[in-house]
Amino acid sequence: MRKSVLALLAVATLGLAACDRIAPQRSGGGETTVTEAGTRTVTPRGALSDSEQSTVSLFANAAPSVVQVVGRTQTSIGAGSGFVWDQQGHVVTNNHVVEAQEIMVRLANGDALRAEVIGRAPQYDIAVLRLERAPGVPPLAIGSSSDLRVGQSVFAIGNPFGLDQSLSSGIVSALQRRLPTPQGREIADVIQTDAAINPGNSGGPLLDSAARVIGVNTAIFSPTGVNSGIGFAIPIDTVARVVPDLIANGRTPTAGIGILVADEAVATRLGVEGVLIWETSPGGPAARAGLRGTNPQAGVLGDVIVEANGHPVARLADLTNEFERVGVGRTITLVIERGKGNRSQVQVPVQDIGD
């Protein structure tokens, strides 16, 4: 009995397999189409929508000028993104992407080229590479970040997790954010976006809908290190000001007045509202203008900067941002407090305090 049941199951299975093909049938003198069981007919679609066509065109035109940047150290290999800046073979990326002994750049067509770092601006997290030969692709168009509006469309092209030539899209989520740097300064007017920016996107371009670079993707805000809808890009107006200096001189000026300020936590504990001067550089602009540092032994606080060029100063970033706006070689107007309630105005030249 058991054998006969198994035999029937086998016959039934064979029968089902044989029925996967539908034999031609006559119906009304005609023959039906032979089809595979379970197959579906492709439904034709119309043309892509205008927005889809625009995005496809944007990627097709911009992607060849976006590169993968690979940095090798003695112990590790890291990767990020970058984009072609000019016809001479210069590539813009993040400074933190190229903190390595050996740099290679892989073009969109797969070519791998050696590259050297010819300029760094750590205070803006920007670096410029020079390729061993011109890449043979056009540089990306440069836009402006001064007229961006929250809600407008943006597109990021890069190499997240090493997956090259990836496109993500979103909107400008916020403007005028501040991004801290390891040097104790802050990058001003940073663009916030919800376009997916993940590890490997750093250094790649953030584009507007006209395929112009409006920012350089640099960081995400996420406890897991994976995109959570909040990414940041350095504004192109800053990048466009810094890059020519990096190409010509290898560095860009760091605007300042020659002071060392107290840690914000220390100033808060001392009841200081503003930026407390801890030391002045001998012979520097601040010292020549008569500004005073703190004397811990005597228990005397230094001058507190509370205003710069008419803007309130609550922390160091407020002050350094005003230095950047004024620029090296010009004069900044400071309001200082020396002793409780005793305020005065002083003019101080801004100079290059970089190494």
Side-chain angles (χ1 to χ4, degrees), residues 34-354:
V34 179
T35 60
E36 297 284 348
T39 60
R40 297 290 305 275
T41 303
V42 174
T43 302
R45 64 155 291 157
L48 296 177
S49 68
D50 289 345
S51 63
E52 288 175 313
Q53 291 177 357
S54 177
T55 301
V56 169
S57 176
L58 178 147
F59 179 77
N61 291 328
S65 300
V66 180
V67 304
Q68 184 175 35
V69 181
V70 180
R72 182 192 300 272
T73 68
Q74 293 180 345
T75 58
S76 64
I77 297 177
S81 303
F83 60 95
V84 176
W85 181 260
D86 56 28
Q87 296 284 6
Q88 287 68 49
H90 294 116
V91 167
V92 170
T93 185
N94 282 151
N95 183 63
H96 76 261
V97 169
V98 293
E99 293 177 336
Q101 285 82 40
E102 183 181 3
I103 307 294
M104 295 291 293
V105 167
R106 187 160 65 89
L107 304 180
N109 64 7
D111 288 352
L113 304 177
R114 292 188 179 277
E116 64 172 326
V117 181
I118 64 166
R120 296 179 184 272
Q123 68 270 41
Y124 303 109
D125 196 17
I126 290 295
V128 175
L129 307 175
R130 182 166 55 214
L131 304 183
E132 60 179 316
R133 64 170 173 81
V137 294
L140 292 178
I142 301 301
S144 174
S145 50
S146 63
D147 57 355
L148 294 177
R149 301 178 65 181
V150 172
Q152 74 176 77
S153 298
V154 291
F155 305 85
I157 303 178
N159 307 280
F161 304 109
L163 302 172
D164 62 341
Q165 298 290 289
S166 294
L167 171 71
S168 61
S169 64
I171 61 170
V172 173
S173 301
L175 296 167
Q176 297 182 330
R177 296 300 194 206
R178 291 175 170 178
L179 196 64
T181 69
Q183 291 71 36
R185 300 170 78 94
E186 287 186 347
I187 306 171
D189 300 325
V190 170
I191 304 163
Q192 180 184 324
T193 178
D194 66 346
I197 296 174
N198 282 295
N201 275 114
S202 292
L206 187 69
L207 308 171
D208 65 9
S209 57
R212 306 178 308 161
V213 182
I214 56 169
V216 177
N217 301 318
T218 190
I220 58 174
F221 180 78
S222 169
T224 64
V226 178
N227 177 266
S228 58
I230 301 179
F232 299 101
I234 303 164
I236 192 61
D237 290 356
T238 298
V239 177
R241 186 181 76 246
V242 168
V243 167
D245 285 338
L246 299 185
I247 294 174
N249 307 311
R251 60 180 299 275
T252 191
T254 302
I257 59 173
I259 59 174
L260 177 66
V261 306
D263 181 86
E264 290 182 10
V266 172
T268 300
R269 287 198 299 269
L270 293 172
V272 171
E273 296 182 2
V275 172
L276 172 62
I277 299 177
W278 195 256
E279 292 180 11
T280 61
S281 301
R288 295 197 306 270
L291 298 185
R292 299 179 184 176
T294 299
N295 187 338
Q297 289 75 24
V300 177
L301 293 180
D303 293 333
V304 178
I305 301 173
V306 296
E307 190 176 294
N309 274 6
H311 297 96
V313 171
R315 52 181 182 159
L316 177 59
D318 298 328
L319 185 59
T320 57
N321 288 342
E322 289 304 318
F323 291 156
E324 297 291 344
R325 289 191 180 96
V326 171
V328 172
R330 298 182 179 178
T331 299
I332 190 168
T333 301
L334 303 178
V335 173
I336 64 167
E337 188 173 275
R338 183 174 293 172
K340 200 65 175 177
N342 184 19
R343 295 190 173 188
S344 61
Q345 193 176 86
V346 60
Q347 305 283 325
V348 187
V350 177
Q351 72 173 27
D352 180 8
I353 61 170

